[in-house]
Amino acid sequence: MHRTHTCGELTINDLTKEVTLSGWVAKSRDLGGMTFIDLRDRYGITQLVFNMEDNEQLCSEARKLGREFVIKVTGTVIERSSKNLKMPTGEIEIKVSKLEILNAAKTVPFMIEDETDGGDDLRMKYRYLDLRRSVVRKNMELRHKVAHETRNFLSSHKFIEVETPVLIKSTPEGARDFVVPSRMNPGEFYALPQSPQTFKQLLMVSGFDRYFQIVKCFRDEDLRADRQPEFTQIDCEMSFVEQEDILNMFEGLFKHLFKSVKGIDIPSVPRMTYADAMKYYGSDKPDIRFEMKFVELNDIVKGKDFKVFDDAELVVGICAKGCASYTRKQMDELTDFVKRPQIGATGLVYCRYNEDGTIKSSVDKFYNEEELQKWVNAFEAEKGDIILILAGNANKTRKALNELRLEMGNRMGLRDKNTFAPLWVLDFPLLEFDEESGRWHAMHHPFTSPKPEDIALLETNPGAVRANAYDMVLNGTEIGGGSIRIHNKELQALMFKHLGFSKEDAQKQFGFLMDAFEFGAPPHGGIAFGFDRLCSLFAGLDTIRDVIAFPKNNSGRDVMIDSPSTIAQDQLDELKIATKN
């Protein structure tokens, strides 16, 4: 046996035992007559001790060991004279009697420690070394536990885990597909699934009733901290359900995961309509760890010859508690923040409600203190608060104020990663109009059912139609979304018509689903959770890359294996693919 115990297992209760351990040399300390080595494996660290007086040759061999050498030792468990109670094994050490080098190691490119000196690029290139670090390993262990508890919960509620195909057909809706050439069908291509949407609906037609899958999905889109070209979903579907059934079931899953993985009891998840989310937070995924709701000011501020407000479609602001003491420099920073191109505001108006009761604004030229008092009243501001106001196009202004609200939340310490505030957002619009293409697009996907009472509006006012759709939001991040699906051919055909599909296009792309609906499709609905996002939030991380064993960088490259890469010309010829130089 290469080991009788792991490096995180032995305690004071194991004194005098003869044991064999194997692992990596994490640290070595030479103190003259004695050499101490920290031996590491997945389970922890155990200190080894070599004594020149006991065995000079063995101690000399130990001194030659480099970091990350793989070794096997046999020895006796003894009590440490200098204990480290922060470690599970910190009360004991192994007095080594036998040492075997299983594999030597080159000098590593960065320190294999919690606080490493390796940058992101270097750690990604040597990801197999980065995974030896305990902080990274713990992320993988957390991911495993979330998956394990998800399967436990859903299995206990009669869900069946079914694998769906990875090679499917390309569809034009949504993000770009990754495509795969077919050698046996020259000139034709598979696509990698952006989600198993149509397959899980077909499983409902098949009578499977309750399906789930922890599944890989693929989207060829621009990357950022919470996006990877391949990602994982907890994908679920249920038959004979209404929206309330879905919300209750998956709120239950959410609470179970928090309790079993984090030890946190989550109360009932509040609900908010999409319309209110946009009105009060400027976002369909509001961070409700803190208040700072939007207050609209059109009725109060217009007609005072301040052109910025008079010409604006919307004047709206937030109240930042206790921030009236912000300096001119801090206000200039906030102004520069909202004027950044990715935010797009033209400027920032502010109003201080000072501790002495006076009210001062950046537009005192146009508004006297009596008029500014109306602003204070509208926000229910208190002495010491500051009001921050943006104006302009309604949609753009709400989005910009959302960014400012989040920035203020960060500056005021209101976005604690250890505080969790979930939210259901309901009643999304079914359709959104795309100016570039000049047609309506599905806000979620083409199979989302409209609210029954809104179906008639499809012909007269498509933008007012609400979807039977819902998102789960956690701390300002969308972690899941779904809908009640269309389950009859006529309504699905009507939906395709309003999305600009011809009958031929709809039949070509989704005929298999439309045909299936004619054989008795039950009412059904489902949801998919972003598994990577959920794990990263549980771990308190800013990026999903840190909960993925072998992630890709922001260019979609795996720098460890150097992928994507070119392929040989004979492979291209076999696939009937020509590339341009």
Side-chain angles (χ1 to χ4, degrees):
M1 293 177 66
H2 279 298
R3 61 186 179 187
T4 58
H5 298 79
T6 71
C7 293
E9 184 177 352
L10 297 168
T11 69
I12 198 73
N13 297 321
D14 297 299
L15 292 180
T16 73
K17 283 184 181 178
E18 184 171 300
V19 297
T20 299
L21 302 181
S22 293
W24 288 263
V25 174
K27 287 182 181 178
S28 179
R29 298 178 298 283
D30 184 1
L31 302 182
M34 303 182 75
T35 297
F36 295 93
I37 287 176
D38 286 349
L39 189 67
R40 180 190 68 241
D41 65 7
R42 168 187 153 191
Y43 304 94
I45 290 176
T46 295
Q47 180 169 285
L48 312 178
V49 59
F50 300 81
N51 195 317
M52 287 292 284
E53 292 183 1
D54 293 338
N55 192 326
E56 182 176 346
Q57 181 181 352
L58 191 63
C59 194
S60 297
E61 289 178 18
R63 288 176 175 178
K64 297 175 185 176
L65 297 174
R67 285 197 178 208
E68 302 308 311
F69 273 44
V70 185
I71 65 172
K72 172 183 174 181
V73 297
T74 298
T76 305
V77 181
I78 62 174
E79 188 171 1
R80 282 175 66 163
S81 57
S82 178
K83 295 181 173 59
N84 181 355
L85 298 181
K86 294 180 180 179
M87 295 170 55
T89 62
E91 293 184 276
I92 59 95
E93 59 194 8
I94 309 301
K95 183 179 180 182
V96 178
S97 58
K98 184 179 179 181
L99 166 65
E100 180 183 351
I101 298 175
L102 300 176
N103 219 325
K106 295 196 305 184
T107 301
V108 292
F110 53 86
M111 302 298 290
I112 312 296
E113 296 178 1
D114 288 0
E115 296 296 328
T116 183
D117 57 351
D120 286 349
D121 291 342
L122 190 61
R123 291 189 296 109
M124 290 304 100
K125 181 174 177 61
Y126 297 96
R127 181 62 167 173
Y128 47 86
L129 296 179
D130 196 40
L131 288 167
R132 291 183 189 174
R133 297 168 56 227
S134 63
V135 290
V136 183
R137 186 187 66 250
K138 286 175 182 175
N139 293 338
M140 297 302 108
E141 291 170 349
L142 180 143
R143 184 185 178 99
H144 161 75
K145 190 168 186 180
V146 174
H148 178 72
E149 292 298 340
T150 296
R151 286 189 167 96
N152 282 350
F153 179 89
L154 293 174
S155 297
S156 72
H157 286 80
K158 300 183 180 179
F159 283 78
I160 299 174
E161 186 166 10
V162 182
E163 293 179 87
T164 52
V166 174
L167 297 175
I168 64 169
K169 70 184 297 182
S170 182
T171 58
E173 295 294 310
R176 297 182 189 89
D177 289 324
F178 283 103
V179 295
V180 180
S182 171
R183 178 186 59 80
M184 293 181 289
N185 302 278
E188 296 185 316
F189 297 82
Y190 302 105
L192 302 182
Q194 296 185 31
S195 82
Q197 181 61 50
T198 54
F199 289 101
K200 66 180 181 180
Q201 290 191 253
L202 289 171
L203 286 169
M204 297 303 102
V205 177
S206 303
F208 272 66
D209 188 60
R210 293 187 174 192
Y211 141 93
F212 86 97
Q213 187 180 188
I214 299 179
V215 59
K216 280 285 187 187
C217 301
F218 307 86
R219 291 177 188 169
D220 185 7
E221 57 187 352
D222 295 335
L223 305 183
R224 58 190 186 204
D226 61 349
R227 281 183 181 170
Q228 284 274 291
E230 52 182 319
F231 58 97
T232 305
Q233 286 184 347
I234 305 170
D235 196 55
C236 309
E237 198 80 3
M238 301 173 71
S239 290
F240 303 111
V241 291
E242 296 177 341
Q243 178 172 289
E244 193 66 24
D245 301 305
I246 300 283
L247 299 186
N248 289 334
M249 176 62 71
F250 293 101
E251 187 170 317
L253 169 62
F254 187 78
K255 290 179 179 180
H256 173 77
L257 291 177
F258 262 96
K259 183 64 175 177
S260 59
V261 177
K262 298 288 290 181
I264 296 173
D265 289 307
I266 295 289
S268 294
V269 178
R271 301 178 182 186
M272 183 183 300
T273 64
Y274 171 88
D276 281 350
M278 297 305 296
K279 179 177 181 179
Y280 294 116
Y281 299 96
S283 170
D284 60 1
K285 46 182 183 294
D287 187 344
I288 60 168
R289 282 175 291 184
F290 62 105
E291 276 288 321
M292 215 180 290
K293 286 184 179 179
F294 292 8
V295 174
E296 297 179 6
L297 297 169
N298 284 26
D299 294 341
I300 297 175
V301 301
K302 292 203 171 194
K304 303 297 180 181
D305 296 327
F306 182 44
K307 189 173 176 61
V308 172
F309 284 176
D310 288 346
D311 293 348
E313 182 182 2
L314 177 68
V315 183
V316 63
I318 54 175
C319 179
K321 294 291 180 185
C323 294
S325 59
Y326 266 34
T327 64
R328 179 61 183 267
K329 180 183 177 182
Q330 288 173 301
M331 296 311 302
D332 287 344
E333 287 174 355
L334 291 178
T335 302
D336 291 341
F337 175 83
V338 299
K339 291 171 75 172
R340 289 161 58 186
Q342 58 267 47
I343 296 176
T346 55
L348 173 67
V349 172
Y350 58 88
C351 174
R352 303 178 194 268
Y353 189 13
N354 296 312
E355 292 286 0
D356 63 5
T358 59
I359 308 173
K360 298 291 181 182
S361 80
S362 56
V363 287
D364 282 349
K365 178 179 177 181
F366 300 95
Y367 299 91
N368 58 39
E369 190 157 338
E370 181 181 343
E371 289 164 336
L372 294 177
Q373 183 65 51
K374 295 179 182 178
W375 298 16
V376 168
N377 294 342
F379 285 91
E380 298 182 358
E382 299 172 326
K383 293 176 182 178
D385 296 348
I386 193 167
I387 295 167
L388 307 173
I389 301 172
L390 299 180
N393 170 273
N395 288 337
K396 290 181 179 179
T397 300
R398 285 195 179 98
K399 290 178 181 178
L401 189 59
N402 168 58
E403 296 295 335
L404 179 59
R405 176 181 178 271
L406 296 178
E407 174 67 13
M408 292 305 297
N410 287 332
R411 289 180 177 229
M412 297 166 67
L414 301 175
R415 305 185 74 195
D416 180 5
K417 291 179 180 178
N418 294 313
T419 299
F420 297 96
L423 173 72
W424 285 112
V425 179
L426 312 175
D427 296 350
F428 283 80
L430 181 71
L431 306 170
E432 54 186 348
F433 192 77
D434 181 61
E435 297 288 347
E436 190 172 324
S437 63
R439 67 181 182 89
W440 293 98
H441 288 260
M443 181 168 274
H444 281 74
H445 54 65
F447 315 107
T448 299
S449 175
K451 292 276 187 182
E453 61 269 29
D454 290 355
I455 291 175
L457 294 173
L458 278 169
E459 298 293 347
T460 58
N461 188 5
V465 179
R466 295 167 300 158
N468 241 331
Y470 32 82
D471 278 0
M472 170 72 85
V473 175
L474 180 63
N475 293 1
T477 298
E478 178 199 333
I479 60 165
S483 66
I484 299 299
R485 321 301 186 189
I486 297 170
H487 68 278
N488 70 73
K489 188 174 182 178
E490 291 74 22
L491 183 56
Q492 188 65 71
L494 183 62
M495 182 68 169
F496 284 144
K497 170 190 168 185
H498 285 284
L499 292 173
F501 285 79
S502 67
K503 288 184 179 179
E504 294 74 18
D505 286 341
Q507 183 64 33
K508 181 179 178 181
Q509 292 175 36
F510 303 110
F512 62 93
L513 185 63
M514 304 278 277
D515 291 344
F517 284 170
E518 295 190 284
F519 290 94
H524 60 282
I527 193 168
F529 289 95
F531 183 67
D532 310 295
R533 289 184 186 179
L534 188 60
C535 291
S536 67
L537 287 166
F538 274 15
L541 300 169
D542 295 322
T543 169
I544 66 172
R545 284 203 307 254
D546 291 334
V547 294
I548 297 173
F550 298 103
K552 293 175 174 58
N553 66 15
N554 285 342
S555 299
R557 295 197 66 83
D558 185 329
V559 295
M560 182 182 67
I561 64 172
D562 192 24
S563 175
S565 59
T566 57
I567 61 174
Q569 186 61 46
D570 58 349
Q571 286 181 278
L572 293 172
D573 294 342
E574 189 175 35
L575 293 167
K576 305 294 191 290
I577 293 176
T579 60
K580 293 182 179 180
N581 293 328

